[in-house]
Amino acid sequence: MTQSSTSSVSRTSTDSIKLRKGKLPLVCITAYSAPMAGLFDDYADIILVGDSLGMVLYGLPSTLQVSVEMMINHGAAVVRGSQKAFIVVDLPFGSYQRSPKDAFITAQKVMSETGCNAIKIEGGKAMAETVNFLVNRGIPVLGHIGMLPQSFNQLGGYRVRGKTEETESEIIQDANILEEAGAFGIVIESVVEHIAEKITKNISIPTIGIGASVKCDGQIIVAEDILGMFSDFEPKFVKKYANLSPLISKAVKNYADDVKDRKFPGKEHCYYKK
Ligand code: KIV
Protein backbone atom coordinates (compact mmCIF):
# COMPACT_ATOMS: atom_id res chain seq x y z
CA MET A 1 0.00 0.00 0.00
CA THR A 2 1.27 3.47 -0.74
CA GLN A 3 0.35 6.91 0.49
CA SER A 4 -0.81 9.46 -2.03
CA SER A 5 1.27 12.56 -2.70
CA THR A 6 0.75 15.66 -4.78
CA SER A 7 2.88 14.27 -7.61
CA SER A 8 2.11 11.21 -9.73
CA VAL A 9 4.86 9.24 -7.94
CA SER A 10 3.74 7.73 -4.65
CA ARG A 11 5.83 7.74 -1.56
CA THR A 12 6.96 4.78 0.49
CA SER A 13 4.40 4.13 3.24
CA THR A 14 4.58 3.05 6.88
CA ASP A 15 3.04 -0.29 5.84
CA SER A 16 5.73 -0.98 3.27
CA ILE A 17 8.39 -0.03 5.82
CA LYS A 18 6.92 -2.42 8.38
CA LEU A 19 6.77 -5.19 5.78
CA ARG A 20 10.55 -4.96 5.36
CA LYS A 21 11.02 -6.41 8.85
CA GLY A 22 13.51 -9.27 8.56
CA LYS A 23 13.74 -8.83 4.78
CA LEU A 24 15.70 -6.46 2.52
CA PRO A 25 17.41 -3.94 4.88
CA LEU A 26 15.90 -0.45 4.95
CA VAL A 27 18.13 2.30 3.56
CA CYS A 28 17.79 5.49 5.59
CA ILE A 29 19.84 8.67 5.37
CA THR A 30 19.57 12.25 6.60
CA ALA A 31 18.97 15.25 4.33
CA TYR A 32 18.35 18.88 5.21
CA SER A 33 17.89 20.48 1.79
CA ALA A 34 15.88 19.99 -1.40
CA PRO A 35 18.87 19.28 -3.70
CA MET A 36 20.35 16.66 -1.35
CA ALA A 37 16.93 15.02 -0.89
CA GLY A 38 16.59 14.89 -4.69
CA LEU A 39 19.96 13.14 -4.97
CA PHE A 40 19.06 10.54 -2.33
CA ASP A 41 15.46 9.90 -3.39
CA ASP A 42 16.20 7.02 -5.78
CA TYR A 43 18.17 5.09 -3.16
CA ALA A 44 16.62 5.81 0.23
CA ASP A 45 13.50 4.25 1.72
CA ILE A 46 13.49 6.85 4.49
CA ILE A 47 14.97 10.33 4.46
CA LEU A 48 15.33 11.75 7.96
CA VAL A 49 15.44 15.48 8.51
CA GLY A 50 17.48 14.98 11.66
CA ASP A 51 18.06 17.59 14.32
CA SER A 52 21.73 16.79 13.69
CA LEU A 53 21.32 19.70 11.26
CA GLY A 54 22.04 21.96 14.24
CA MET A 55 25.63 20.77 14.32
CA VAL A 56 26.15 19.80 10.69
CA LEU A 57 24.56 22.84 8.99
CA TYR A 58 24.40 25.55 11.62
CA GLY A 59 27.66 24.87 13.48
CA LEU A 60 25.85 24.68 16.82
CA PRO A 61 27.53 22.86 19.72
CA SER A 62 24.75 20.25 20.05
CA THR A 63 21.19 19.48 18.97
CA LEU A 64 19.80 21.24 22.04
CA GLN A 65 19.73 24.65 20.33
CA VAL A 66 17.62 23.47 17.37
CA SER A 67 14.17 25.07 17.05
CA VAL A 68 10.86 23.83 15.66
CA GLU A 69 11.10 26.55 12.98
CA MET A 70 14.47 25.21 11.77
CA MET A 71 13.01 21.72 11.52
CA ILE A 72 9.98 23.00 9.62
CA ASN A 73 12.05 25.01 7.11
CA HIS A 74 14.39 22.12 6.35
CA GLY A 75 11.61 19.52 6.51
CA ALA A 76 9.55 21.40 3.93
CA ALA A 77 12.60 21.72 1.64
CA VAL A 78 13.29 17.98 1.84
CA VAL A 79 9.65 17.15 1.06
CA ARG A 80 9.75 19.51 -1.96
CA GLY A 81 12.99 17.98 -3.19
CA SER A 82 11.87 14.35 -3.09
CA GLN A 83 9.05 12.29 -4.49
CA LYS A 84 9.45 8.69 -3.36
CA ALA A 85 11.16 8.41 -0.01
CA PHE A 86 9.23 8.37 3.27
CA ILE A 87 10.13 11.62 5.03
CA VAL A 88 10.60 11.69 8.80
CA VAL A 89 11.27 14.93 10.67
CA ASP A 90 12.85 15.02 14.15
CA LEU A 91 11.00 16.93 16.86
CA PRO A 92 13.65 19.09 18.53
CA PHE A 93 14.61 19.19 22.19
CA GLY A 94 12.02 20.78 24.44
CA SER A 95 9.20 20.63 21.90
CA TYR A 96 7.65 17.34 23.00
CA GLN A 97 8.99 16.20 26.37
CA ARG A 98 6.69 18.24 28.63
CA SER A 99 3.46 16.37 27.85
CA PRO A 100 1.77 14.23 25.18
CA LYS A 101 -0.44 17.24 24.40
CA ASP A 102 2.61 19.45 23.75
CA ALA A 103 4.06 16.72 21.56
CA PHE A 104 0.84 16.57 19.56
CA ILE A 105 0.79 20.34 19.03
CA THR A 106 4.40 20.31 17.78
CA ALA A 107 3.96 17.20 15.65
CA GLN A 108 0.77 18.55 14.07
CA LYS A 109 2.53 21.83 13.19
CA VAL A 110 5.58 20.04 11.78
CA MET A 111 3.49 17.62 9.73
CA SER A 112 1.08 20.20 8.35
CA GLU A 113 3.77 22.78 7.53
CA THR A 114 6.29 20.39 5.99
CA GLY A 115 4.10 17.68 4.44
CA CYS A 116 6.36 15.03 6.02
CA ASN A 117 5.12 11.50 6.62
CA ALA A 118 6.14 10.92 10.23
CA ILE A 119 8.05 12.37 13.15
CA LYS A 120 10.83 10.96 15.30
CA ILE A 121 11.23 11.51 19.02
CA GLU A 122 13.99 10.36 21.34
CA GLY A 123 13.37 8.17 24.38
CA GLY A 124 11.93 4.79 25.32
CA LYS A 125 9.87 4.14 28.46
CA ALA A 126 9.68 7.85 29.33
CA MET A 127 8.11 8.62 25.95
CA ALA A 128 5.73 5.63 25.73
CA GLU A 129 2.62 7.57 26.72
CA THR A 130 3.49 10.31 24.23
CA VAL A 131 4.12 7.85 21.38
CA ASN A 132 0.78 6.18 22.07
CA PHE A 133 -1.00 9.55 22.25
CA LEU A 134 0.41 10.62 18.87
CA VAL A 135 -0.15 7.29 17.11
CA ASN A 136 -3.78 7.17 18.29
CA ARG A 137 -4.27 10.60 16.73
CA GLY A 138 -2.91 9.70 13.30
CA ILE A 139 0.75 10.64 13.65
CA PRO A 140 3.23 7.90 12.68
CA VAL A 141 6.13 7.84 15.13
CA LEU A 142 9.66 6.56 14.67
CA GLY A 143 11.21 5.84 18.06
CA HIS A 144 14.87 6.41 18.99
CA ILE A 145 16.64 4.53 21.77
CA GLY A 146 20.17 3.79 22.95
CA MET A 147 22.41 6.84 22.80
CA LEU A 148 20.09 9.85 22.77
CA PRO A 149 21.87 12.99 21.51
CA GLN A 150 19.25 15.27 23.10
CA SER A 151 20.05 13.69 26.48
CA PHE A 152 23.85 13.76 26.25
CA ASN A 153 24.06 15.87 29.41
CA GLN A 154 22.19 13.22 31.36
CA LEU A 155 23.91 10.25 29.70
CA GLY A 156 27.40 11.63 30.36
CA GLY A 157 28.26 12.38 26.74
CA TYR A 158 27.91 10.65 23.37
CA ARG A 159 28.83 7.20 24.69
CA VAL A 160 28.08 3.70 23.46
CA ARG A 161 25.23 2.27 25.51
CA GLY A 162 24.45 -1.21 26.78
CA LYS A 163 27.79 -2.21 28.22
CA THR A 164 26.33 -3.08 31.63
CA GLU A 165 23.54 -5.54 32.41
CA GLU A 166 21.45 -2.73 33.83
CA THR A 167 21.65 -0.57 30.69
CA GLU A 168 21.14 -3.65 28.52
CA SER A 169 17.84 -4.48 30.17
CA GLU A 170 16.82 -0.79 30.11
CA ILE A 171 17.38 -0.57 26.34
CA ILE A 172 15.56 -3.84 25.66
CA GLN A 173 12.65 -2.66 27.79
CA ASP A 174 12.61 0.67 25.90
CA ALA A 175 12.27 -1.19 22.59
CA ASN A 176 9.46 -3.43 23.83
CA ILE A 177 7.55 -0.50 25.27
CA LEU A 178 7.85 1.59 22.10
CA GLU A 179 6.58 -1.31 20.00
CA GLU A 180 3.62 -1.68 22.34
CA ALA A 181 2.99 2.08 22.22
CA GLY A 182 2.58 1.89 18.44
CA ALA A 183 5.85 3.17 16.94
CA PHE A 184 6.24 1.92 13.34
CA GLY A 185 9.99 1.50 13.73
CA ILE A 186 12.84 2.22 16.12
CA VAL A 187 16.22 3.86 15.57
CA ILE A 188 18.84 2.19 17.76
CA GLU A 189 21.88 4.42 18.20
CA SER A 190 25.35 3.44 19.47
CA VAL A 191 24.44 0.20 21.18
CA VAL A 192 26.52 -2.97 21.48
CA GLU A 193 25.76 -5.49 18.77
CA HIS A 194 24.20 -8.28 20.79
CA ILE A 195 21.55 -5.97 22.24
CA ALA A 196 20.58 -4.66 18.80
CA GLU A 197 20.39 -8.28 17.63
CA LYS A 198 18.23 -9.34 20.60
CA ILE A 199 15.84 -6.41 20.09
CA THR A 200 15.62 -6.99 16.34
CA LYS A 201 14.74 -10.66 16.91
CA ASN A 202 12.19 -9.95 19.62
CA ILE A 203 10.09 -7.11 18.24
CA SER A 204 7.81 -7.11 15.21
CA ILE A 205 8.66 -3.61 13.92
CA PRO A 206 11.85 -2.72 12.01
CA THR A 207 14.95 -1.64 13.88
CA ILE A 208 17.11 0.95 12.14
CA GLY A 209 20.67 1.03 13.38
CA ILE A 210 23.27 3.76 13.62
CA GLY A 211 26.30 2.35 15.37
CA ALA A 212 24.22 -0.70 16.23
CA SER A 213 25.59 -3.26 13.74
CA VAL A 214 24.35 -5.06 10.67
CA LYS A 215 21.93 -7.11 12.80
CA CYS A 216 19.30 -4.36 12.55
CA ASP A 217 16.54 -4.32 9.91
CA GLY A 218 18.02 -1.22 8.31
CA GLN A 219 20.68 1.45 8.66
CA ILE A 220 20.60 5.21 9.04
CA ILE A 221 23.50 7.61 8.74
CA VAL A 222 24.17 11.34 8.55
CA ALA A 223 24.81 12.04 4.86
CA GLU A 224 27.58 14.59 5.45
CA ASP A 225 29.46 12.01 7.52
CA ILE A 226 29.59 9.39 4.76
CA LEU A 227 30.30 12.05 2.11
CA GLY A 228 33.28 13.44 4.02
CA MET A 229 31.75 16.89 4.46
CA PHE A 230 31.69 17.07 8.26
CA SER A 231 34.74 16.30 10.33
CA ASP A 232 34.04 17.96 13.72
CA PHE A 233 33.23 14.57 15.16
CA GLU A 234 33.94 11.22 13.49
CA PRO A 235 32.29 8.33 15.28
CA LYS A 236 33.63 4.78 14.82
CA PHE A 237 30.40 3.76 13.07
CA VAL A 238 30.90 6.12 10.12
CA LYS A 239 32.25 4.75 6.86
CA LYS A 240 33.37 7.44 4.40
CA TYR A 241 32.06 6.70 0.91
CA ALA A 242 33.53 9.96 -0.43
CA ASN A 243 35.82 12.72 0.75
CA LEU A 244 34.14 15.83 -0.63
CA SER A 245 35.64 18.47 1.70
CA PRO A 246 39.02 18.69 -0.08
CA LEU A 247 37.29 18.63 -3.49
CA ILE A 248 35.07 21.56 -2.49
CA SER A 249 38.03 23.50 -1.04
CA LYS A 250 40.04 22.90 -4.20
CA ALA A 251 37.18 24.02 -6.48
CA VAL A 252 36.69 27.25 -4.50
CA LYS A 253 40.46 27.88 -4.45
CA ASN A 254 40.55 27.48 -8.26
CA TYR A 255 37.65 29.90 -8.57
CA ALA A 256 39.38 32.43 -6.30
CA ASP A 257 42.65 32.13 -8.28
CA ASP A 258 40.79 32.61 -11.59
CA VAL A 259 38.99 35.70 -10.30
CA LYS A 260 42.25 37.26 -9.08
CA ASP A 261 44.04 36.39 -12.36
CA ARG A 262 41.10 37.75 -14.41
CA LYS A 263 40.65 34.30 -15.99
CA PHE A 264 37.04 34.12 -14.87
CA PRO A 265 34.61 34.99 -16.35
CA GLY A 266 35.87 33.96 -19.78
CA LYS A 267 34.45 35.16 -23.11
CA GLU A 268 32.04 32.17 -23.07
CA HIS A 269 30.49 33.40 -19.81
CA CYS A 270 29.82 36.96 -21.02
CA TYR A 271 27.00 38.64 -22.93
CA TYR A 272 27.62 40.61 -26.15
CA LYS A 273 25.57 42.76 -28.46
CA LYS A 274 25.28 40.92 -31.84
O1 KIV B 1 19.49 13.78 14.04
C1 KIV B 1 19.84 12.81 13.38
O2 KIV B 1 20.46 12.92 12.32
C2 KIV B 1 19.51 11.48 13.91
C3 KIV B 1 20.19 10.31 13.29
C4 KIV B 1 21.63 10.33 13.57
C5 KIV B 1 19.54 9.03 13.69
O3 KIV B 1 18.75 11.37 14.81
Side-chain angles (χ1 to χ4, degrees):
M1 205 174 99
T2 52
Q3 287 175 341
S4 64
S5 72
T6 47
S7 75
S8 55
V9 184
S10 43
R11 287 194 185 268
T12 302
S13 65
T14 42
D15 285 349
S16 63
I17 289 164
K18 283 196 205 159
L19 286 171
R20 293 275 286 278
K21 174 78 193 172
K23 300 193 181 115
L24 184 67
L26 286 158
V27 178
C28 316
I29 190 162
T30 61
Y32 316 125
S33 71
M36 290 292 247
L39 289 171
F40 305 160
D41 202 31
D42 276 341
Y43 311 106
D45 298 298
I46 296 177
I47 296 180
L48 170 71
V49 186
D51 60 354
S52 51
L53 63 77
M55 292 145 103
V56 177
L57 279 194
Y58 287 82
L60 293 168
S62 75
T63 58
L64 303 190
Q65 295 79 17
V66 173
S67 67
V68 173
E69 284 63 37
M70 284 176 181
M71 297 311 299
I72 288 176
N73 290 338
H74 291 279
V78 166
V79 170
R80 285 193 295 272
S82 60
Q83 291 190 297
K84 294 187 279 188
F86 186 84
I87 311 297
V88 180
V89 176
D90 264 344
L91 297 194
F93 181 64
S95 72
Y96 63 92
Q97 288 93 343
R98 195 164 53 172
S99 70
K101 221 168 153 185
D102 267 13
F104 181 82
I105 291 167
T106 310
Q108 182 275 332
K109 186 172 164 67
V110 167
M111 290 195 77
S112 66
E113 293 184 26
T114 64
C116 73
N117 307 108
I119 57 92
K120 174 165 80 61
I121 61 178
E122 294 184 10
K125 191 176 170 192
M127 284 299 126
E129 192 191 344
T130 297
V131 171
N132 195 249
F133 190 88
L134 296 178
V135 172
N136 284 336
R137 284 157 184 78
I139 297 179
V141 179
L142 181 61
H144 187 154
I145 62 172
M147 206 289 287
L148 307 175
Q150 293 180 8
S151 302
F152 77 96
N153 282 311
Q154 198 173 32
L155 297 173
Y158 299 98
R159 295 222 189 102
V160 179
R161 299 214 58 229
K163 287 191 168 173
T164 64
E165 283 189 11
E166 194 191 343
T167 52
E168 168 166 348
S169 63
E170 239 175 66
I171 297 165
I172 292 174
Q173 195 193 17
D174 281 344
N176 293 335
I177 289 176
L178 286 184
E179 178 189 20
E180 214 173 294
F184 70 87
I186 303 177
V187 169
I188 305 180
E189 179 161 356
S190 299
V191 159
V192 294
E193 180 176 280
H194 81 272
I195 301 179
E197 185 176 16
K198 249 190 211 171
I199 293 172
T200 302
K201 279 190 181 148
N202 291 335
I203 63 173
S204 64
I205 53 173
T207 57
I208 300 169
I210 174 162
S213 90
V214 80
K215 307 288 182 184
C216 297
D217 297 303
Q219 299 297 323
I220 186 155
I221 204 83
V222 171
E224 282 76 358
D225 282 343
I226 61 163
L227 297 175
M229 293 172 73
F230 183 73
S231 54
D232 280 8
F233 177 60
E234 283 183 11
K236 176 183 162 97
F237 58 71
V238 169
K239 175 175 173 181
K240 271 196 189 169
Y241 287 84
N243 195 13
L244 298 187
S245 289
L247 295 180
I248 295 170
S249 277
K250 177 112 196 308
V252 176
K253 180 188 182 301
N254 290 345
Y255 163 71
D257 289 348
D258 277 2
V259 168
K260 287 186 258 178
D261 294 345
R262 296 194 184 277
K263 287 186 181 159
F264 177 83
K267 292 247 178 264
E268 68 278 25
H269 307 117
C270 295
Y271 301 99
Y272 299 97
K273 207 168 156 188
K274 278 193 183 151

